[in-house]
Amino acid sequence: MSVAFDTNVDITVEIAFDSEPFDNTQNFTDVSEFVRSFSTRRGRSNELAEFVAGGCEINLSNADNRFNPSQTTHYYDSSNSRTKIQPLKRVRISAIYDSSTYRIFEGFLSSIPVIFTAGGADSIVKFTASDAFKIFQSSRLDGVGWRLGTSGFSELGVSTRLSYVDEQEISSERITRILNAIGFPSNRRNISTGTKNVISQNIGTNILSAIRECELAENGQFFINKEGQATFRNREYRLSNTKAVDVQGTFSNTGTDLPYTNVSTSFDDNEIINIYEWTRTGGITQYVSDSDSVIRYRPKESNKTTINITDADVLSIIQQKVASTSLPIVRIDNLTINPKDNINLWTQVLNREFGDRIKVKIQAPDNSIFEDELWIESINHTVNASSQTWSYSATLSPAGSSAWILGQAKLGEGTRFAYA
């Protein structure tokens, strides 16, 4: 059952002890009453980086030793003489606010250390979990398959491998083909239709790298969302999706908007790329540069090989990229929120996802205002159920050309044109 975090929010933590990792239907066991604290981390450091495996840590009270994998009383499969507390069991964390359930994280158990504290008078188990990226990273397109044994059963990894064959196709179809090949559940996907075709891939490539090749060829995004779904967005998502185009919430320290705890800005050359030299397999190198940026900030290059099928597609992608990476701007990088500061913050903290557009305003001590519209690139939750503290932080990237400083709006310093 869910347990109260405070008067507004209940927390639910569940583990699918009785299901296999890729079962379409998961049989979850509620362990909420034992939760002392948890933290989650998902996303990427900025808009130029790759999405990495999300993870969480859950500290559970183990006073009666129930979460110790070596015990045989709780969560125990007596028919097979083994504990049900196993790596790769699905884990999900949810919060209930205003009668709506919001998923915070879903992934797979990876480690289960038992910790004895207070001279052995207390014990906690720290369940560590990762999202599906960890599984994708450890599997290959030519991965181990199934063999029908002499006694009529399927035996994993004995003589045969998956019969993976691809063909020239749309990026989203290739990703779907890859997920099908490893048996990733069809109800755990959110795949938008791609716009670019891709060539056949090396079957020795691991699953995550193969999908990232499709992501690069599309100039899209691939990540595991908070519901645990393998999520692919095409290159047009941020130009057309309502949550990416329209501001979903405004945060400020002026007292007129939703409050934040901390915010940080930067102005540097860390996100500048002003020369792109990309080549598709079997194609001619495509070159795009911003000469003004090169003169002002020195050459900062990107060299990649893609699985696009035409040079024109490669050129189109790097033209899109150079338009958004050639000039530095004053950036709002990070936002931290305490949702207990304002009841209206709960829907923001629980409902936001990568690519959602928000606005942040900063009133400086001299009363000047800096504001920007931003996309969310990463989301972290740090929650202590015992002391009832909840911190939410997000990494942000500029959403187009909205940034401006009161009394100063210089191209490349206060504003930047968006790709269209």
Side-chain angles (χ1 to χ4, degrees):
M1 62 178 183
S2 299
V3 295
F5 171 75
D6 63 11
T7 56
N8 298 304
V9 174
D10 293 339
I11 294 174
T12 305
V13 176
E14 300 165 293
I15 304 172
F17 291 128
D18 296 300
S19 302
E20 300 305 326
F22 282 1
D23 286 351
N24 280 316
T25 301
Q26 298 282 314
N27 183 14
F28 283 98
T29 298
D30 193 327
V31 298
S32 306
E33 62 181 302
F34 304 100
V35 174
R36 296 188 181 180
S37 63
F38 69 83
S39 62
T40 69
R41 61 194 181 279
R42 302 172 44 248
R44 59 182 179 177
S45 57
N46 58 52
E47 70 273 26
L48 301 182
E50 293 179 330
F51 286 97
V52 298
C56 80
E57 292 184 352
I58 308 168
N59 290 310
L60 297 162
S61 176
N62 190 47
D64 60 1
N65 209 35
R66 70 174 49 235
F67 295 111
N68 190 332
S70 65
Q71 56 81 36
T72 59
T73 304
H74 304 277
Y75 318 121
Y76 188 73
D77 181 0
S78 56
S79 62
N80 291 298
S81 301
R82 65 189 179 202
T83 180
K84 294 181 180 181
I85 304 173
Q86 298 280 346
L88 294 185
K89 295 298 183 181
R90 275 194 180 266
V91 179
R92 67 183 184 189
I93 303 174
S94 311
I96 301 171
Y97 170 72
D98 195 23
S99 300
S100 295
T101 299
Y102 299 88
R103 194 81 67 232
I104 296 172
F105 178 85
E106 184 164 333
F108 304 85
L109 279 180
S110 54
S111 67
I112 310 161
V114 181
I115 303 169
F116 297 94
T117 60
D122 191 17
S123 175
I124 62 172
V125 171
K126 180 178 290 185
F127 281 178
T128 301
S130 299
D131 66 25
F133 266 30
K134 182 176 181 179
I135 296 175
F136 296 164
Q137 181 68 50
S138 63
S139 305
R140 301 196 321 177
L141 291 179
D142 62 351
V144 174
W146 299 84
R147 183 188 68 154
L148 187 63
T150 56
S151 51
F153 60 90
S154 294
E155 188 175 349
L156 181 63
V158 175
S159 65
T160 63
R161 294 180 178 272
L162 291 174
S163 178
Y164 175 82
V165 179
D166 62 25
E167 58 190 27
Q168 181 178 304
E169 58 196 338
I170 293 290
S171 57
S172 54
E173 293 177 352
R174 173 65 52 77
I175 290 174
T176 297
R177 183 189 295 270
I178 293 170
L179 295 176
N180 288 343
I182 62 170
F184 192 79
S186 58
N187 63 352
R188 313 306 299 161
R189 308 178 193 179
N190 185 9
I191 310 296
S192 66
T193 303
T195 66
K196 300 298 180 185
N197 285 322
V198 295
I199 63 173
S200 295
Q201 292 174 273
N202 183 343
I203 62 172
T205 304
N206 75 57
I207 298 300
L208 183 57
S209 295
I211 293 175
R212 280 176 169 166
E213 287 179 345
C214 299
E215 177 187 23
L216 181 69
E218 175 67 30
N219 196 20
Q221 296 176 326
F222 182 80
F223 57 89
I224 306 300
N225 70 12
K226 59 185 179 178
E227 285 85 15
Q229 295 176 319
T231 301
F232 176 66
R233 293 172 175 171
N234 65 28
R235 70 183 304 204
E236 297 174 351
Y237 177 87
R238 287 187 166 179
L239 301 176
S240 59
N241 186 273
T242 299
K243 284 192 172 183
V245 173
D246 299 333
V247 172
Q248 302 299 302
T250 300
F251 304 84
S252 76
N253 61 343
T254 65
T256 58
D257 304 293
L258 295 170
Y260 54 73
T261 304
N262 291 299
V263 69
S264 64
T265 67
S266 66
F267 182 61
D268 52 46
D269 64 350
N270 291 337
E271 283 78 36
I272 295 177
I273 300 177
N274 49 33
I275 296 175
Y276 286 85
E277 291 185 89
W278 285 21
T279 308
R280 69 179 179 89
T281 301
I284 298 172
T285 299
Q286 300 300 297
Y287 178 90
V288 173
S289 68
D290 184 314
S291 58
D292 179 59
S293 176
V294 171
I295 292 171
R296 294 167 65 183
Y297 307 113
R298 308 307 301 157
K300 297 180 181 295
E301 298 183 29
S302 171
N303 299 277
K304 293 184 182 295
T305 300
T306 80
I307 58 171
N308 293 96
I309 66 166
T310 70
D311 292 336
D313 283 347
V314 178
L315 181 61
S316 173
I317 290 170
I318 62 177
Q319 286 174 334
Q320 179 179 1
K321 285 186 171 294
V322 78
S324 60
T325 66
S326 61
L327 298 174
I329 64 171
V330 177
R331 302 166 55 94
I332 298 176
D333 289 320
N334 294 281
L335 176 72
T336 303
I337 295 169
N338 177 3
K340 298 185 72 173
D341 286 344
N342 185 311
I343 194 172
N344 294 315
L345 287 169
W346 281 115
T347 53
Q348 294 292 326
V349 165
L350 299 175
N351 198 35
R352 296 280 68 86
E353 184 54 283
F354 307 144
D356 286 2
R357 191 184 192 108
I358 63 172
K359 178 182 284 189
V360 177
K361 300 178 184 178
I362 304 171
Q363 181 171 294
D366 64 355
N367 291 323
S368 62
I369 298 290
F370 173 67
E371 67 178 51
D372 200 1
E373 292 183 11
L374 307 136
W375 285 311
I376 295 174
E377 301 292 351
S378 76
I379 294 172
N380 299 330
H381 294 269
T382 303
V383 179
N384 190 307
S386 302
S387 62
Q388 294 190 333
T389 59
W390 193 312
S391 177
Y392 168 95
S393 61
T395 300
L396 309 169
S397 67
S401 58
S402 61
W404 60 278
I405 302 173
L406 188 64
Q408 176 183 326
K410 298 179 181 179
L411 182 62
E413 295 181 14
T415 64
R416 177 166 62 186
F417 287 132
Y419 167 84

